Each structure stands twice: as C-alpha cells, then as structure tokens.
Amino acid sequence: MAYKTVLTIVTDVSQARLQLESAMAVARAEDAHLEVLCMGVDRTQTGYYYAGATAFVQQEVLDRAQDEARELERAMRERLAGEEIRWSSEAVVAQIGAIATVVGLRARFADLIVMGHPYGKGRGQELEAAVEAALFEGQSPVMIMPDAPVAALAPRRIVVAWNQSNEAMNAIRKALPLLKTASLVDITVIDPPAHGPERSDPGGQLSQWLARHGVKVEVSVLAKTLPRISDVINRHVRDTSAEMVVMGAYGHSRFREAILGGATRNMLEMAEVPVLMAH
C-alpha cells in the first residue's frame, strides 16, 4: 500500500507553516493528494457563565472561531497556490470537546496524517487532541514532525521500536511504504523479557517478515541504561544517525477521552526526527 491521501490539521497560522511544508514534501514524495483541515476551535464550556450571558458569549466565541478557520484556510491556500501537488482545503469549527469526532471522521479516510509537535510553548491543547483523535478515533498512522526543518523525508535509516505489542506491529504495517525504500531498518529491542515468546531470538520473526517484503533489516538489542525507554531510543537514533522512528502509540481512557500514555508523550517531547506512530 502506498500513501495516496495525506492529511494535515492546522489550528494556528504561526505554528502551521513548517507543518504545512512537511506535509507538502510528504505528498510530493508519495505523489499523494494533500488535504488541509483548517480548524477554528470554540473553547466555550456551556454553563460556565452567569445567567443570561451564555448565548451571547457562545455566539461571540463561535464567530471568532469561524474567523480563525477562514483566516487559516486563506493562508494555507495562498501558500499552496501554484504548487504542482494535488491538494484541497476545508475550514471547520469544532468545540474543544468535539475535536475527536471532527478529526476522527476525516482521519479514517487518510493514509497518513502529518502533524507538528503537539507539545511546547505556544501550543494549545487542541493539537494534542487532534493527534489523539487521528490515532484513536481515525485509526490512522500519524507522522509527528520536529520543530526544525527535516533533511530527509525519504529516510535512509529508520529505527523501529519493537516490543511485540499489537500497537508496534500496526505501526510497522502502516509504515511499510517507507520501510521498503529505506537503506536500512534497525529493529530496536530494549530489555527483551527473559521468558517471552522471542526470548531466544528477539526481533527474529519480525525481521524475517520484513525481509520477505524486501526490507533491509538488522536487529539491535539494547539494555535500558537510562531512566526512560524514550531516552534509550533517542540516544540510539543519534548514535546510528537514523532519520525516522516508527513506534506504537499507547494510551488509556480517562472519562471517555483518549490520553497518550507516558512513553508516547515522552518520545514526542524529545524526538529530534520524524516519528511515525499508530495505535
């Protein structure tokens, strides 16, 4: 399977430009159609205002969100005008609590979602909500781009974080178009269990399966010598000059909301290269 529909979700003009450039580069490399969802966010919470003010305040905030969505779409269309790639844009408004529904309905029909870092200075909670919605509601792979421009959007060396989980396997399946074109895929196993199903050959079955798809693979078995798994992965990425990480996205449900698990969040906060995740 190739990536033929690439989706990116933007919520702020100042944060969107580098993200859009990355999404354009991916669409260009994959000969894909780029969809840009320009989302204005209505942050009103019904019931938080004094009696008689709710309707007025909600309308004012809704109007502001609509203006933001239209301004986002205008800026995105202005940048995309004249580009040779196929693209389309849509301006929508979503309440902060309904982002999962809005994004999930569109993400399920995308082969790949390209997003910027959801954490950091100046980033609202809507970015994290959009990433979670694409992963958990849309069941789509998400490529998180670092804040700095990326040198290789057709990565030559890719680190695959392998822990035998369904999430990791799903991410690897959805990353196959990229894995098959890489010069080397490094299956990285950290502290494999002594009594697990792969105890005698960590990563062996996965490497065999990938090799049958024409992927050039090697296996690295590492000790957890740093406090967090994400620290070990990022150090290995730097040591091997890898240009991308593929990993499962882990989360849990709290009050019926998808929340990224600690290991996933730590990885995204610290990653210096693109990270392709799937749930």
Side-chain angles (χ1 to χ4, degrees):
M1 184 196 78
Y3 303 125
K4 289 303 174 187
T5 301
V6 174
L7 170 67
T8 192
I9 304 148
V10 294
T11 60
D12 183 272
V13 171
S14 62
Q15 301 288 342
R17 299 194 184 280
L18 182 58
Q19 178 180 321
L20 180 64
E21 295 298 325
S22 298
M24 288 167 56
V26 172
R28 192 176 296 112
E30 297 293 324
D31 190 25
H33 182 99
L34 174 62
E35 295 181 347
V36 183
L37 184 64
C38 305
M39 189 163 60
V41 181
D42 175 2
R43 296 176 179 80
T44 55
Q45 296 293 333
T46 303
Y48 279 35
Y49 307 103
Y50 59 85
T54 302
F56 172 77
V57 173
Q58 284 186 327
Q59 187 59 51
E60 184 180 21
V61 176
L62 178 61
D63 290 343
R64 186 182 307 127
Q66 290 174 333
D67 289 343
E68 290 173 357
R70 285 191 288 264
E71 173 61 21
L72 268 170
E73 186 177 34
R74 186 200 63 76
M76 298 301 101
R77 283 179 168 272
E78 186 177 274
R79 173 62 188 88
L80 286 161
E83 289 290 329
E84 294 181 358
I85 62 170
R86 299 180 300 279
W87 61 273
S88 57
S89 66
E90 180 185 7
V92 299
V93 170
Q95 279 199 310
I96 192 70
I99 287 176
T101 301
V102 173
V103 172
L105 286 172
R106 290 159 177 82
R108 68 177 58 179
F109 297 109
D111 297 312
L112 181 67
I113 291 91
V114 177
M115 296 291 292
H117 261 299
Y119 310 114
K121 185 178 180 180
R123 291 167 174 81
Q125 67 184 101
E126 62 270 12
L127 286 176
E128 183 177 4
V131 170
E132 290 175 353
L135 287 166
F136 298 110
E137 301 293 328
Q139 291 290 300
S140 298
V142 177
M143 184 185 292
I144 302 294
M145 309 302 293
D147 289 334
V150 175
L153 283 167
R156 297 183 302 275
R157 186 176 184 119
I158 301 175
V159 164
V160 168
W162 176 238
N163 62 358
Q164 305 174 44
S165 68
N166 291 335
E167 291 86 350
M169 192 69 224
N170 195 31
I172 293 163
R173 288 185 189 278
K174 291 180 176 179
L176 262 180
L178 292 168
L179 301 180
K180 290 168 73 171
T181 59
S183 300
L184 184 65
V185 172
D186 186 331
I187 300 170
T188 302
V189 185
I190 301 170
D191 275 356
H195 303 289
E198 293 188 348
R199 59 188 178 276
S200 61
D201 186 19
Q205 286 184 300
L206 176 61
S207 63
Q208 183 182 67
W209 177 76
L210 286 172
R212 287 171 178 165
H213 279 278
V215 179
K216 304 173 186 66
V217 295
E218 68 178 24
V219 178
S220 298
V221 179
L222 308 177
K224 187 174 178 284
T225 55
L226 294 170
R228 300 180 300 191
I229 293 292
S230 56
D231 296 331
V232 179
I233 295 172
N234 280 315
R235 183 178 64 184
H236 188 58
V237 166
R238 290 191 296 270
D239 290 345
T240 59
S241 299
E243 296 163 332
M244 182 175 289
V245 174
V246 173
M247 63 178 289
Y250 309 95
H252 53 85
S253 179
R254 182 182 298 167
F255 305 119
R256 299 180 66 185
E257 292 185 31
I259 299 173
L260 290 177
T264 309
R265 184 183 179 108
N266 290 339
M267 187 66 201
L268 294 185
E269 287 176 336
M270 304 299 296
E272 300 169 1
V273 299
V275 179
L276 191 149
M277 303 184 301
H279 180 62

